[in-house]
Amino acid sequence: KSGRKNAKAHLITSRNGKGDCKMGQSKTDVETYEVTLEPSGKTIEVKEGQTLLDAAIRNGIQVAYGCRHGSCSACKCQVLDGEYEIMDRVSEYSLMSFERDEGITLMCSTIAESDLVIEVEEEESDLPFFAVHDFAAEVIENEQCTGDIHIIKLKLSEPESIEYAAGQFFEFEIPGLEEDTRAYSLANKYKDDSTLEFHVKRINEGKGSNYMCDLQVGDQVTGSGPYGTMQLRDRDKDLILVAGGSGMAPIKSLVEELFSEDFEKEAWFFYGARTVKDLYLTEEWEALASKYPNFHFVPALSNADPSEEWGGETGFIADVIGRKLEKAINADAYLCGPPIMIETTCDQLYKLGVKGTDIFYDEF
């Protein structure tokens, strides 16, 4: 989750892939390699089976990344010296054969097989950096709130607290998927009570989503995080927030963060669902809009059932935005949803005057 990538991260991602130590496993006898980053000259230690990106993030190195599973191509680097392996999950589309021949690779899907020297552009960002942790947590709530979306709440146990920014995501280890994890965005702002909220949509035959949605109170889960850079940037600009389905999760955390302090600009939240039955948390959003006159909640149905009573907006969410807003010259936008929603919404936002550099999104 995803986005992202100019600050985006997909919601369905993979982790390191091969041979990473899981929580509780012995970390002894694991070979390590030294990776030198040029042009900064910084060095990091990479464990056998660990991806270059995972090692960089855990060492506080800020580099561009997005999906973390070899699809978005945001984390390209060039290997100048050393032996390495590119994981099979990287497609020809994500990394062309001529790029591979030139030593270009994706940090998220590259395993060191010797000491390496790589060339990568480190990002200069005013965003706060939060260290990545492996974690264990207990399920304290699992509520099915639509036909296919569950709100799952966890209580951290190891460590007892992980600091993160609203809009970031965690990755979960899924039994039976030894080389993959699944990523879900946090739906609540950071609080020191160690409670984490996630919104998970059940996908037919989706091993990750079915595992998550079938969790029972008291079950234990493990994973790592936080990841991603879809963080709140500027409180002195209007905000346009757009989500579809379970993409509500990171938007909810961003709104919680936004109104935890004074906010005097306008904030619009456009939420797209297929039918009335696919809407959730509407009462909470309407209550927030009543409390804060500068917050506007606009739900819309793309496939409204004529038998259901609905007096709100209809059509695709991008079209709804075009009808509701005349211009948005000085605004930031945060989007989370499927690719077609992201693409059409971005096109609409461009027409309204939003700069591409002011749009941040999670795509899943």
Side-chain angles (χ1 to χ4, degrees):
K1 302 222 17 276
S2 43
R4 265 132 166 218
K5 45 138 180 235
N6 59 344
K8 62 176 180 176
H10 291 287
L11 291 187
I12 300 180
T13 69
S14 301
R15 196 184 170 191
N16 322 12
K18 302 162 50 176
D20 247 1
C21 290
K22 308 293 185 181
M23 293 191 65
Q25 291 181 326
S26 172
K27 295 186 179 181
T28 60
D29 302 325
V30 175
E31 191 167 0
T32 62
Y33 303 105
E34 182 178 86
V35 177
T36 302
L37 284 64
E38 297 293 356
S40 70
K42 296 176 183 177
T43 60
I44 59 175
E45 184 180 88
V46 180
K47 298 183 179 67
E48 180 183 4
Q50 183 181 27
T51 66
L52 301 184
L53 179 63
D54 189 69
I57 293 172
R58 290 174 183 264
N59 280 274
I61 305 296
Q62 298 192 52
V63 295
Y65 71 93
C67 69
R68 285 176 48 83
H69 66 99
S71 297
C72 74
S73 303
C75 61
K76 284 183 180 178
C77 72
Q78 183 162 22
V79 179
L80 303 177
D81 187 46
E83 300 296 322
Y84 61 97
E85 178 184 358
I86 302 174
M87 297 169 68
D88 291 339
R89 65 192 184 193
V90 179
S91 69
E92 176 66 20
Y93 175 80
S94 300
L95 190 66
M96 302 293 185
S97 57
F98 76 87
E99 293 179 304
R100 299 174 192 236
D101 292 342
E102 294 174 358
I104 296 172
T105 188
L106 303 183
M107 293 183 69
C108 71
S109 302
T110 299
I111 308 297
E113 295 185 332
S114 72
D115 291 346
L116 296 177
V117 178
I118 67 173
E119 184 175 30
V120 61
E121 182 178 350
E122 296 180 39
E123 293 190 317
E124 293 184 5
S125 174
D126 294 331
L127 294 176
F129 178 81
F130 298 95
V132 173
H133 299 270
D134 293 321
F135 73 86
E138 179 181 349
V139 178
I140 58 175
E141 184 178 325
N142 185 344
E143 175 190 2
Q144 183 175 351
C145 50
T146 74
D148 54 10
I149 295 177
H150 288 238
I151 294 179
I152 300 169
K153 295 183 180 179
L154 308 176
K155 183 77 170 181
L156 284 169
S157 54
E158 182 189 344
E160 294 184 353
S161 181
I162 297 177
E163 192 172 2
Y164 60 86
Q168 291 193 291
F169 65 97
F170 278 23
E171 295 191 345
F172 289 83
E173 294 171 353
I174 308 298
L177 297 181
E178 294 301 324
E179 295 190 354
D180 283 334
T181 59
R182 295 294 182 264
Y184 298 98
S185 290
L186 290 139
N188 61 314
K189 70 181 292 289
Y190 171 73
K191 296 178 290 186
D192 59 9
D193 66 358
S194 305
T195 300
L196 308 177
E197 178 182 332
F198 301 89
H199 298 182
V200 181
K201 180 176 182 179
R202 188 187 294 273
I203 306 298
N204 290 336
E205 300 184 6
K207 293 182 179 180
S209 67
N210 280 291
Y211 165 75
M212 296 292 290
C213 290
D214 288 341
L215 289 169
Q216 302 295 310
V217 172
D219 285 349
Q220 302 291 316
V221 296
T222 57
S224 63
Y227 300 102
T229 54
M230 197 179 80
Q231 303 175 31
L232 189 62
R233 262 105 172 138
D234 194 339
R235 292 177 172 274
D236 295 322
K237 298 174 68 174
D238 294 336
L239 296 184
I240 301 171
L241 309 153
V242 188
S246 59
M248 180 187 292
I251 303 301
K252 178 175 176 290
S253 68
L254 287 168
V255 172
E256 287 185 4
E257 178 67 31
L258 182 67
F259 287 100
S260 66
E261 300 177 16
D262 290 338
F263 178 70
E264 298 178 354
K265 298 295 184 177
E266 299 294 311
W268 291 80
F269 176 27
F270 295 90
Y271 180 71
R274 288 177 56 80
T275 69
V276 170
K277 294 179 181 178
D278 297 313
L279 294 171
Y280 71 107
L281 297 185
T282 53
E283 292 183 359
E284 287 85 344
W285 290 115
E286 289 168 354
L288 193 67
S290 296
K291 183 177 180 180
Y292 298 103
N294 58 336
F295 176 72
H296 314 279
F297 174 55
V298 184
L301 303 182
S302 63
N303 192 25
D305 187 336
S307 65
E308 295 178 326
E309 184 177 346
W310 176 250
E313 296 287 338
T314 57
F316 295 113
I317 202 67
D319 297 329
V320 175
I321 294 170
R323 294 197 297 265
K324 299 294 288 187
L325 300 179
E326 294 183 359
K327 62 180 181 179
I329 302 300
N330 186 35
D332 282 347
Y334 297 86
L335 324 177
C336 186
I340 187 63
M341 188 208 83
I342 299 295
E343 181 180 353
T344 56
T345 300
C346 284
D347 288 342
Q348 184 63 257
L349 292 174
Y350 299 149
K351 295 177 183 178
L352 292 172
V354 182
K355 299 176 182 178
T357 53
D358 293 334
I359 300 174
F360 313 97
Y361 57 92
D362 279 344
E363 181 181 286
F364 63 86

